Coordinates of all heavy atoms in Angstrom, one line a residue:
M1 N 7.0 12.8 6.3 CA 6.5 11.5 6.8 C 5.2 11.1 6.0 O 5.2 10.0 5.5 CB 6.1 11.6 8.3 CG 5.5 10.4 8.8 SD 5.1 10.4 10.6 CE 3.4 10.9 10.6
L2 N 4.3 12.0 5.8 CA 3.1 11.7 5.0 C 3.4 11.4 3.6 O 2.9 10.4 3.0 CB 2.1 12.8 5.1 CG 0.8 12.6 4.4 CD1 0.1 11.4 5.1 CD2 -0.1 13.8 4.6
K3 N 4.4 12.1 3.0 CA 4.9 11.8 1.6 C 5.4 10.4 1.5 O 5.1 9.7 0.5 CB 5.9 12.9 1.2 CG 6.4 12.7 -0.2 CD 7.4 13.8 -0.5 CE 7.9 13.6 -2.0 NZ 8.9 14.6 -2.3
E4 N 6.2 10.0 2.5 CA 6.7 8.6 2.5 C 5.6 7.6 2.6 O 5.6 6.6 1.9 CB 7.8 8.4 3.6 CG 8.5 7.1 3.5 CD 9.5 6.9 4.6 OE1 9.9 7.9 5.3 OE2 10.0 5.8 4.8
I5 N 4.7 7.8 3.5 CA 3.6 6.9 3.6 C 2.8 6.7 2.3 O 2.5 5.6 1.9 CB 2.7 7.3 4.8 CG1 3.4 7.1 6.1 CG2 1.3 6.5 4.8 CD1 2.7 7.7 7.3
I6 N 2.5 7.9 1.7 CA 1.7 7.9 0.5 C 2.5 7.2 -0.7 O 1.9 6.3 -1.4 CB 1.3 9.3 0.1 CG1 0.3 9.8 1.0 CG2 0.8 9.3 -1.4 CD1 0.0 11.3 0.9
S7 N 3.8 7.4 -0.8 CA 4.6 6.8 -1.8 C 4.7 5.3 -1.6 O 4.6 4.5 -2.6 CB 5.9 7.4 -2.0 OG 6.7 7.3 -0.8
V8 N 4.9 4.8 -0.4 CA 4.9 3.4 -0.1 C 3.5 2.8 -0.4 O 3.5 1.7 -1.0 CB 5.3 3.1 1.4 CG1 5.1 1.7 1.8 CG2 6.8 3.5 1.6
F9 N 2.5 3.4 0.0 CA 1.1 2.9 -0.2 C 0.9 2.7 -1.7 O 0.5 1.7 -2.2 CB 0.0 3.9 0.3 CG -1.3 3.5 -0.1 CD1 -2.0 2.5 0.7 CD2 -2.0 4.0 -1.2 CE1 -3.3 2.1 0.3 CE2 -3.2 3.6 -1.6 CZ -3.9 2.7 -0.8
I10 N 1.2 3.7 -2.5 CA 1.0 3.7 -4.0 C 1.9 2.5 -4.6 O 1.4 1.7 -5.4 CB 1.3 5.0 -4.6 CG1 0.2 6.0 -4.2 CG2 1.4 4.9 -6.1 CD1 0.6 7.5 -4.6
L11 N 3.1 2.4 -4.2 CA 4.0 1.4 -4.7 C 3.5 0.0 -4.4 O 3.4 -0.8 -5.3 CB 5.4 1.6 -4.2 CG 6.5 0.6 -4.7 CD1 6.6 0.7 -6.2 CD2 7.8 0.8 -4.0
V12 N 3.2 -0.2 -3.1 CA 2.7 -1.6 -2.7 C 1.3 -1.9 -3.4 O 1.1 -3.0 -3.8 CB 2.6 -1.7 -1.2 CG1 2.0 -3.0 -0.8 CG2 4.0 -1.6 -0.6
F13 N 0.5 -0.9 -3.4 CA -0.9 -1.1 -4.0 C -0.7 -1.5 -5.5 O -1.3 -2.5 -5.9 CB -1.7 0.2 -3.8 CG -3.1 0.1 -4.4 CD1 -4.1 -0.6 -3.7 CD2 -3.4 0.6 -5.7 CE1 -5.4 -0.7 -4.3 CE2 -4.6 0.5 -6.2 CZ -5.6 -0.2 -5.5
L14 N 0.1 -0.8 -6.2 CA 0.2 -1.1 -7.6 C 1.0 -2.4 -7.8 O 0.6 -3.2 -8.7 CB 1.0 0.0 -8.3 CG 0.3 1.4 -8.4 CD1 1.2 2.4 -9.1 CD2 -1.0 1.2 -9.2
A15 N 1.9 -2.7 -6.9 CA 2.6 -4.0 -7.1 C 1.7 -5.2 -6.8 O 1.9 -6.3 -7.3 CB 3.8 -4.0 -6.1
E16 N 0.8 -5.0 -5.9 CA -0.1 -6.1 -5.5 C -1.3 -6.3 -6.5 O -1.9 -7.4 -6.5 CB -0.7 -5.9 -4.1 CG 0.3 -6.0 -3.0 CD 0.9 -7.4 -2.9 OE1 0.2 -8.4 -3.1 OE2 2.1 -7.4 -2.6
L17 N -1.6 -5.3 -7.4 CA -2.7 -5.5 -8.3 C -2.3 -6.6 -9.3 O -1.3 -6.6 -10.0 CB -2.9 -4.2 -9.1 CG -3.6 -3.1 -8.3 CD1 -3.8 -1.9 -9.2 CD2 -5.0 -3.6 -7.8
G18 N -3.2 -7.6 -9.4 CA -3.1 -8.6 -10.4 C -2.0 -9.6 -10.2 O -1.7 -10.5 -11.0
D19 N -1.4 -9.6 -9.0 CA -0.4 -10.7 -8.7 C -1.0 -11.9 -8.3 O -2.2 -12.0 -8.1 CB 0.7 -10.2 -7.7 CG 0.2 -10.1 -6.3 OD1 -1.0 -10.2 -6.1 OD2 1.0 -9.9 -5.4
K20 N -0.2 -13.0 -8.1 CA -0.8 -14.3 -7.7 C -1.5 -14.3 -6.4 O -2.4 -15.0 -6.1 CB 0.2 -15.4 -7.8 CG 1.3 -15.4 -6.9 CD 2.3 -16.5 -7.2 CE 3.4 -16.5 -6.2 NZ 4.3 -17.6 -6.3
T21 N -1.1 -13.4 -5.5 CA -1.7 -13.3 -4.2 C -3.2 -12.7 -4.3 O -4.1 -13.3 -3.8 CB -1.0 -12.3 -3.2 OG1 0.4 -12.8 -3.1 CG2 -1.6 -12.2 -1.9
Q22 N -3.3 -11.7 -5.2 CA -4.7 -11.2 -5.4 C -5.5 -12.2 -6.1 O -6.7 -12.4 -5.8 CB -4.6 -9.9 -6.2 CG -6.0 -9.2 -6.3 CD -5.9 -8.0 -7.1 OE1 -5.2 -7.9 -8.1 NE2 -6.8 -7.0 -6.7
L23 N -5.0 -12.9 -7.1 CA -5.8 -13.9 -7.8 C -6.2 -15.1 -6.8 O -7.3 -15.6 -6.9 CB -4.9 -14.5 -9.0 CG -4.6 -13.5 -10.0 CD1 -3.7 -14.1 -11.1 CD2 -5.9 -12.9 -10.7
S24 N -5.3 -15.5 -5.9 CA -5.6 -16.5 -4.9 C -6.7 -16.0 -4.0 O -7.6 -16.8 -3.7 CB -4.4 -16.8 -4.1 OG -3.3 -17.4 -4.9
T25 N -6.6 -14.7 -3.6 CA -7.6 -14.2 -2.7 C -9.0 -14.1 -3.4 O -10.0 -14.4 -2.8 CB -7.2 -12.8 -2.3 OG1 -6.0 -12.8 -1.6 CG2 -8.2 -12.2 -1.3
M26 N -9.0 -13.8 -4.7 CA -10.2 -13.8 -5.5 C -10.8 -15.2 -5.5 O -12.1 -15.4 -5.4 CB -10.0 -13.3 -6.9 CG -9.7 -11.8 -6.9 SD -9.2 -11.1 -8.5 CE -9.9 -12.1 -9.8
L27 N -10.0 -16.2 -5.7 CA -10.5 -17.6 -5.8 C -11.0 -18.0 -4.4 O -12.1 -18.6 -4.3 CB -9.3 -18.5 -6.1 CG -9.6 -20.0 -6.1 CD1 -10.7 -20.4 -7.2 CD2 -8.4 -20.8 -6.3
L28 N -10.3 -17.7 -3.3 CA -10.8 -18.0 -2.0 C -12.1 -17.3 -1.7 O -13.1 -17.8 -1.1 CB -9.8 -17.6 -0.9 CG -8.5 -18.5 -0.9 CD1 -7.5 -17.8 0.0 CD2 -8.9 -19.9 -0.4
A29 N -12.3 -16.0 -2.1 CA -13.5 -15.3 -1.9 C -14.7 -15.9 -2.7 O -15.8 -15.9 -2.2 CB -13.3 -13.8 -2.3
S30 N -14.4 -16.4 -3.9 CA -15.5 -17.0 -4.7 C -16.0 -18.3 -4.0 O -17.1 -18.7 -4.2 CB -15.0 -17.3 -6.1 OG -14.1 -18.4 -6.1
K31 N -15.2 -19.0 -3.2 CA -15.6 -20.2 -2.5 C -16.0 -20.0 -1.1 O -16.6 -20.9 -0.5 CB -14.4 -21.2 -2.5 CG -14.0 -21.6 -3.9 CD -12.8 -22.6 -3.8 CE -12.4 -23.2 -5.1 NZ -11.4 -24.2 -5.0
S32 N -15.8 -18.8 -0.6 CA -16.1 -18.5 0.8 C -17.6 -18.2 1.1 O -18.2 -17.6 0.2 CB -15.2 -17.3 1.3 OG -15.5 -17.0 2.6
K33 N -18.1 -18.5 2.2 CA -19.4 -18.2 2.6 C -19.5 -16.7 3.1 O -20.5 -16.1 3.1 CB -19.9 -19.1 3.7 CG -20.1 -20.5 3.2 CD -20.6 -21.4 4.3 CE -20.7 -22.8 3.8 NZ -21.3 -23.7 4.7
S34 N -18.3 -16.2 3.5 CA -18.3 -14.8 3.9 C -17.0 -14.1 3.3 O -15.9 -14.5 3.6 CB -18.2 -14.7 5.5 OG -17.9 -13.4 5.8
I35 N -17.3 -13.2 2.5 CA -16.2 -12.5 1.8 C -15.4 -11.7 2.9 O -14.2 -11.4 2.7 CB -16.6 -11.6 0.7 CG1 -17.6 -10.5 1.2 CG2 -17.2 -12.4 -0.4 CD1 -17.9 -9.4 0.1
W36 N -16.1 -11.3 4.0 CA -15.4 -10.5 5.0 C -14.3 -11.3 5.7 O -13.3 -10.8 6.1 CB -16.4 -9.9 6.0 CG -17.2 -8.9 5.3 CD1 -18.5 -9.0 4.9 CD2 -16.8 -7.6 4.8 NE1 -18.9 -7.8 4.3 CE2 -17.8 -7.0 4.2 CE3 -15.5 -6.9 4.9 CZ2 -17.7 -5.7 3.6 CZ3 -15.4 -5.7 4.3 CH2 -16.5 -5.1 3.7
Y37 N -14.6 -12.6 6.0 CA -13.5 -13.5 6.6 C -12.3 -13.6 5.6 O -11.2 -13.5 6.1 CB -14.1 -14.9 6.9 CG -15.1 -14.9 8.0 CD1 -16.1 -15.9 7.9 CD2 -15.1 -14.0 9.0 CE1 -17.1 -15.9 8.9 CE2 -16.1 -14.0 10.0 CZ -17.1 -15.0 9.9 OH -18.0 -15.0 10.9
T38 N -12.6 -13.7 4.3 CA -11.5 -13.7 3.4 C -10.7 -12.4 3.4 O -9.5 -12.4 3.3 CB -12.1 -14.0 2.0 OG1 -12.9 -15.2 2.0 CG2 -11.0 -14.2 0.9
F39 N -11.5 -11.3 3.4 CA -10.8 -10.0 3.4 C -10.0 -9.8 4.7 O -8.8 -9.4 4.6 CB -11.9 -8.9 3.4 CG -11.3 -7.5 3.6 CD1 -10.5 -6.9 2.7 CD2 -11.5 -6.9 4.8 CE1 -9.9 -5.7 2.9 CE2 -10.9 -5.6 5.1 CZ -10.2 -5.0 4.1
I40 N -10.5 -10.2 5.8 CA -9.8 -10.0 7.1 C -8.5 -10.9 7.1 O -7.4 -10.4 7.5 CB -10.6 -10.3 8.3 CG1 -11.7 -9.2 8.4 CG2 -9.8 -10.5 9.6 CD1 -12.8 -9.6 9.4
G41 N -8.6 -12.2 6.7 CA -7.5 -13.0 6.6 C -6.4 -12.5 5.6 O -5.2 -12.5 5.9
S42 N -6.9 -12.1 4.5 CA -6.0 -11.6 3.4 C -5.3 -10.3 3.9 O -4.1 -10.2 3.7 CB -6.7 -11.3 2.2 OG -5.9 -10.7 1.2
A43 N -6.0 -9.4 4.5 CA -5.4 -8.1 5.0 C -4.4 -8.4 6.1 O -3.4 -7.8 6.1 CB -6.5 -7.2 5.5
A44 N -4.8 -9.3 7.0 CA -3.8 -9.7 8.1 C -2.6 -10.3 7.6 O -1.5 -10.0 8.0 CB -4.5 -10.6 9.1
A45 N -2.7 -11.1 6.5 CA -1.5 -11.7 5.9 C -0.6 -10.7 5.3 O 0.6 -10.7 5.4 CB -1.9 -12.8 4.9
L46 N -1.2 -9.7 4.6 CA -0.4 -8.7 3.9 C 0.2 -7.8 4.9 O 1.4 -7.4 4.8 CB -1.3 -7.8 3.0 CG -0.6 -6.7 2.2 CD1 0.5 -7.3 1.4 CD2 -1.6 -5.9 1.4
V47 N -0.5 -7.5 6.0 CA 0.2 -6.7 7.1 C 1.4 -7.4 7.7 O 2.4 -6.8 7.9 CB -0.9 -6.3 8.2 CG1 -0.2 -5.7 9.4 CG2 -1.9 -5.3 7.6
L48 N 1.2 -8.7 8.0 CA 2.3 -9.5 8.6 C 3.5 -9.6 7.7 O 4.6 -9.4 8.1 CB 1.8 -10.8 9.1 CG 2.8 -11.7 9.8 CD1 3.4 -11.0 11.0 CD2 2.2 -13.1 10.1
S49 N 3.2 -9.9 6.4 CA 4.3 -10.1 5.5 C 5.0 -8.7 5.2 O 6.2 -8.7 5.1 CB 3.8 -10.6 4.1 OG 2.9 -9.8 3.5
S50 N 4.2 -7.6 5.3 CA 4.9 -6.3 5.2 C 5.7 -6.0 6.4 O 6.8 -5.5 6.3 CB 3.8 -5.2 5.0 OG 3.1 -5.4 3.8
L51 N 5.3 -6.4 7.6 CA 6.0 -6.2 8.8 C 7.4 -7.0 8.7 O 8.4 -6.5 9.0 CB 5.3 -6.6 10.0 CG 6.0 -6.6 11.3 CD1 6.4 -5.2 11.7 CD2 5.2 -7.2 12.5
L52 N 7.3 -8.2 8.3 CA 8.5 -9.0 8.1 C 9.4 -8.4 7.1 O 10.7 -8.4 7.3 CB 8.1 -10.5 7.7 CG 7.4 -11.3 8.8 CD1 7.0 -12.6 8.2 CD2 8.2 -11.5 10.0
G53 N 8.9 -7.9 6.0 CA 9.7 -7.2 5.0 C 10.4 -6.0 5.6 O 11.6 -5.8 5.3
V54 N 9.7 -5.2 6.3 CA 10.3 -4.0 6.9 C 11.4 -4.4 7.9 O 12.5 -3.8 7.9 CB 9.2 -3.1 7.6 CG1 9.8 -2.0 8.4 CG2 8.3 -2.5 6.5
L55 N 11.1 -5.3 8.8 CA 12.1 -5.7 9.8 C 13.3 -6.3 9.1 O 14.4 -6.0 9.5 CB 11.5 -6.7 10.7 CG 10.3 -6.2 11.7 CD1 9.7 -7.3 12.5 CD2 10.9 -5.1 12.5
A56 N 13.1 -7.2 8.1 CA 14.3 -7.8 7.4 C 15.1 -6.8 6.7 O 16.3 -6.8 6.7 CB 13.8 -8.9 6.5
G57 N 14.4 -5.8 6.1 CA 15.1 -4.8 5.3 C 15.9 -3.9 6.2 O 17.0 -3.5 5.9
S58 N 15.3 -3.6 7.4 CA 16.1 -2.7 8.3 C 17.3 -3.4 8.9 O 18.3 -2.8 9.1 CB 15.2 -2.2 9.4 OG 14.7 -3.2 10.3
V59 N 17.2 -4.7 9.1 CA 18.3 -5.5 9.6 C 19.4 -5.7 8.5 O 20.6 -5.4 8.8 CB 17.9 -6.8 10.2 CG1 19.1 -7.7 10.5 CG2 17.1 -6.6 11.5
L60 N 18.9 -6.1 7.3 CA 19.9 -6.3 6.2 C 20.6 -5.0 5.9 O 21.8 -5.0 5.6 CB 19.1 -6.8 5.0 CG 18.7 -8.2 5.0 CD1 17.9 -8.5 3.8 CD2 19.9 -9.1 5.1
N61 N 19.9 -3.9 6.0 CA 20.5 -2.6 5.6 C 21.7 -2.2 6.6 O 22.6 -1.5 6.2 CB 19.5 -1.5 5.6 CG 19.9 -0.2 4.9 OD1 20.6 -0.3 3.9 ND2 19.5 0.9 5.4
K62 N 21.7 -2.8 7.7 CA 22.8 -2.5 8.7 C 24.1 -3.3 8.3 O 25.2 -2.9 8.7 CB 22.4 -2.9 10.1 CG 21.3 -2.0 10.7 CD 20.9 -2.4 12.0 CE 19.8 -1.6 12.5 NZ 19.3 -2.0 13.8
F63 N 24.0 -4.4 7.6 CA 25.1 -5.2 7.2 C 25.5 -5.2 5.8 O 26.6 -5.6 5.4 CB 24.8 -6.6 7.7 CG 24.6 -6.7 9.2 CD1 23.3 -6.9 9.7 CD2 25.6 -6.6 10.1 CE1 23.0 -7.0 11.0 CE2 25.3 -6.7 11.5 CZ 24.0 -6.9 11.9
I64 N 24.5 -5.0 4.9 CA 24.7 -5.0 3.5 C 24.3 -3.7 2.8 O 23.2 -3.2 3.1 CB 23.8 -6.2 2.9 CG1 24.1 -7.5 3.5 CG2 24.0 -6.3 1.4 CD1 23.2 -8.6 3.1
P65 N 25.2 -3.1 2.0 CA 24.8 -1.9 1.4 C 23.5 -2.0 0.5 O 23.3 -3.0 -0.1 CB 26.0 -1.6 0.5 CG 27.2 -2.4 1.1 CD 26.5 -3.6 1.7
Q66 N 22.8 -0.9 0.5 CA 21.5 -0.9 -0.2 C 21.6 -1.3 -1.7 O 20.7 -2.0 -2.2 CB 20.9 0.5 -0.1 CG 19.5 0.6 -0.7 CD 18.8 1.9 -0.5 OE1 19.4 2.8 0.1 NE2 17.6 2.1 -1.0
N67 N 22.7 -0.8 -2.4 CA 22.8 -1.2 -3.8 C 22.9 -2.7 -4.0 O 22.4 -3.2 -5.0 CB 23.9 -0.4 -4.5 CG 25.2 -0.6 -3.9 OD1 25.3 -0.9 -2.7 ND2 26.3 -0.5 -4.6
Y68 N 23.5 -3.4 -3.1 CA 23.6 -4.9 -3.2 C 22.2 -5.5 -3.0 O 21.9 -6.4 -3.6 CB 24.6 -5.4 -2.2 CG 26.1 -5.2 -2.5 CD1 26.9 -4.7 -1.5 CD2 26.6 -5.3 -3.8 CE1 28.2 -4.4 -1.8 CE2 27.9 -5.1 -4.1 CZ 28.7 -4.6 -3.1 OH 30.0 -4.3 -3.3
I69 N 21.5 -5.0 -2.0 CA 20.2 -5.5 -1.7 C 19.3 -5.3 -2.9 O 18.5 -6.2 -3.3 CB 19.6 -4.8 -0.5 CG1 20.4 -5.2 0.8 CG2 18.1 -5.2 -0.3 CD1 20.0 -4.4 2.0
Q70 N 19.3 -4.1 -3.6 CA 18.5 -3.9 -4.7 C 18.9 -4.8 -5.9 O 18.1 -5.3 -6.6 CB 18.7 -2.4 -5.2 CG 18.0 -1.4 -4.3 CD 18.2 0.0 -4.6 OE1 19.3 0.4 -5.1 NE2 17.2 0.8 -4.5
F71 N 20.2 -5.0 -6.1 CA 20.7 -5.8 -7.2 C 20.2 -7.3 -7.0 O 19.6 -7.9 -7.9 CB 22.2 -5.8 -7.3 CG 22.8 -6.7 -8.3 CD1 22.8 -6.3 -9.6 CD2 23.3 -7.9 -8.0 CE1 23.3 -7.2 -10.6 CE2 23.8 -8.8 -8.9 CZ 23.8 -8.4 -10.3
F72 N 20.4 -7.8 -5.8 CA 20.0 -9.2 -5.6 C 18.5 -9.4 -5.5 O 18.0 -10.4 -5.9 CB 20.7 -9.8 -4.3 CG 22.2 -10.0 -4.6 CD1 23.1 -9.2 -3.9 CD2 22.6 -11.0 -5.5 CE1 24.5 -9.4 -4.1 CE2 24.0 -11.2 -5.7 CZ 24.9 -10.4 -5.0
S73 N 17.8 -8.4 -5.1 CA 16.3 -8.4 -5.2 C 15.9 -8.5 -6.6 O 15.0 -9.2 -7.0 CB 15.7 -7.2 -4.5 OG 16.0 -7.2 -3.1
G74 N 16.5 -7.7 -7.5 CA 16.2 -7.7 -8.9 C 16.4 -9.0 -9.5 O 15.6 -9.6 -10.3
I75 N 17.6 -9.6 -9.2 CA 17.9 -11.0 -9.7 C 16.9 -12.0 -9.2 O 16.5 -12.8 -10.0 CB 19.4 -11.4 -9.3 CG1 20.4 -10.4 -9.9 CG2 19.6 -12.8 -9.6 CD1 20.5 -10.5 -11.4
A76 N 16.5 -11.9 -7.9 CA 15.5 -12.8 -7.4 C 14.2 -12.7 -8.1 O 13.5 -13.7 -8.4 CB 15.3 -12.6 -5.9
F77 N 13.8 -11.5 -8.4 CA 12.5 -11.3 -9.1 C 12.6 -11.9 -10.5 O 11.6 -12.5 -11.0 CB 12.2 -9.8 -9.2 CG 11.4 -9.3 -8.0 CD1 12.0 -8.4 -7.2 CD2 10.1 -9.7 -7.8 CE1 11.3 -7.9 -6.0 CE2 9.4 -9.2 -6.7 CZ 10.0 -8.3 -5.8
I78 N 13.7 -11.7 -11.2 CA 13.9 -12.3 -12.5 C 13.8 -13.8 -12.5 O 13.1 -14.4 -13.3 CB 15.2 -11.8 -13.2 CG1 15.1 -10.3 -13.5 CG2 15.6 -12.6 -14.4 CD1 16.5 -9.7 -13.9
I79 N 14.5 -14.4 -11.5 CA 14.5 -15.9 -11.4 C 13.1 -16.4 -11.1 O 12.6 -17.3 -11.7 CB 15.5 -16.3 -10.3 CG1 16.9 -16.1 -10.8 CG2 15.3 -17.8 -9.9 CD1 18.0 -16.2 -9.7
I80 N 12.4 -15.7 -10.2 CA 11.0 -16.1 -9.8 C 10.1 -16.0 -11.1 O 9.3 -16.8 -11.4 CB 10.5 -15.3 -8.6 CG1 11.2 -15.7 -7.4 CG2 9.0 -15.5 -8.5 CD1 11.0 -14.8 -6.2
G81 N 10.3 -14.9 -11.8 CA 9.5 -14.7 -13.0 C 9.7 -15.8 -14.0 O 8.8 -16.3 -14.6
L82 N 11.0 -16.1 -14.3 CA 11.3 -17.2 -15.2 C 10.7 -18.5 -14.7 O 10.2 -19.3 -15.5 CB 12.8 -17.3 -15.4 CG 13.5 -16.2 -16.2 CD1 15.0 -16.3 -16.1 CD2 13.0 -16.1 -17.6
L83 N 10.8 -18.8 -13.4 CA 10.2 -20.1 -12.9 C 8.7 -20.1 -13.1 O 8.2 -21.1 -13.5 CB 10.6 -20.2 -11.5 CG 12.1 -20.5 -11.1 CD1 12.3 -20.5 -9.6 CD2 12.5 -21.9 -11.7
L84 N 8.1 -18.9 -12.9 CA 6.6 -18.9 -13.2 C 6.3 -19.1 -14.6 O 5.4 -19.8 -15.0 CB 6.1 -17.5 -12.7 CG 5.9 -17.4 -11.2 CD1 5.6 -15.9 -10.8 CD2 4.9 -18.3 -10.6
V85 N 7.1 -18.4 -15.5 CA 6.8 -18.6 -17.0 C 7.0 -20.0 -17.4 O 6.2 -20.5 -18.2 CB 7.8 -17.6 -17.8 CG1 7.8 -18.0 -19.2 CG2 7.4 -16.2 -17.6
F86 N 7.9 -20.7 -16.9 CA 8.2 -22.1 -17.3 C 7.5 -23.1 -16.5 O 7.7 -24.3 -16.6 CB 9.7 -22.3 -17.4 CG 10.4 -21.5 -18.4 CD1 11.2 -20.5 -18.1 CD2 10.1 -21.8 -19.8 CE1 11.9 -19.8 -19.1 CE2 10.7 -21.1 -20.8 CZ 11.6 -20.0 -20.4
G87 N 6.6 -22.7 -15.6 CA 5.8 -23.6 -14.8 C 6.5 -24.4 -13.7 O 6.1 -25.4 -13.3
K88 N 7.6 -23.9 -13.3 CA 8.4 -24.6 -12.2 C 8.1 -24.1 -10.8 O 8.6 -24.6 -9.9 CB 9.9 -24.4 -12.5 CG 10.3 -24.8 -13.9 CD 10.2 -26.3 -14.0 CE 10.7 -26.8 -15.3 NZ 10.6 -28.2 -15.5
L89 N 7.2 -23.1 -10.7 CA 6.9 -22.5 -9.4 C 5.4 -22.5 -9.2 O 4.6 -22.2 -10.1 CB 7.5 -21.1 -9.3 CG 7.5 -20.5 -7.9 CD1 8.3 -21.3 -6.9 CD2 8.0 -19.1 -8.0

């Protein structure tokens, strides 16, 4: 159990470093009168989005094999990356 928690923490922590969510949070913090309000709002948003991801993943896994989920997730990341590179997102 602890090993799984640590591996998920490391993976999510590294994935979130330098992404557009972190950059947006930095921008909001630079304009905010209280960095703590920005931190609390940002942390709550990450917790909620993680909860939605876990719930969706557990439901999808019951109907769709994991290898299909991984494949289509990879395709979605590539598409989003290309849209970001070409300024369409």
Side-chain angles (χ1 to χ4, degrees):
M1 180 175 96
L2 184 59
K3 183 179 178 182
E4 185 176 350
I5 291 171
I6 291 170
S7 63
V8 170
F9 173 84
I10 290 170
L11 179 65
V12 171
F13 181 79
L14 292 175
E16 291 297 322
L17 285 179
D19 74 346
K20 65 182 182 177
T21 304
Q22 187 181 35
L23 297 174
S24 299
T25 303
M26 288 171 31
L27 176 64
L28 291 169
S30 71
K31 295 180 176 185
S32 177
K33 294 181 181 184
S34 172
I35 60 169
W36 292 108
Y37 293 150
T38 305
F39 171 73
I40 291 168
S42 174
L46 182 57
V47 168
L48 182 60
S49 66
S50 295
L51 174 64
L52 293 175
V54 168
L55 294 175
S58 65
V59 170
L60 285 175
N61 197 35
K62 292 178 183 176
F63 301 103
I64 303 171
Q66 184 177 357
N67 58 332
Y68 290 132
I69 296 171
Q70 287 176 323
F71 177 79
F72 288 112
S73 295
I75 296 296
F77 274 111
I78 291 169
I79 291 170
I80 291 169
L82 290 172
L83 290 173
L84 285 170
V85 165
F86 293 111
K88 302 292 183 185
L89 189 63

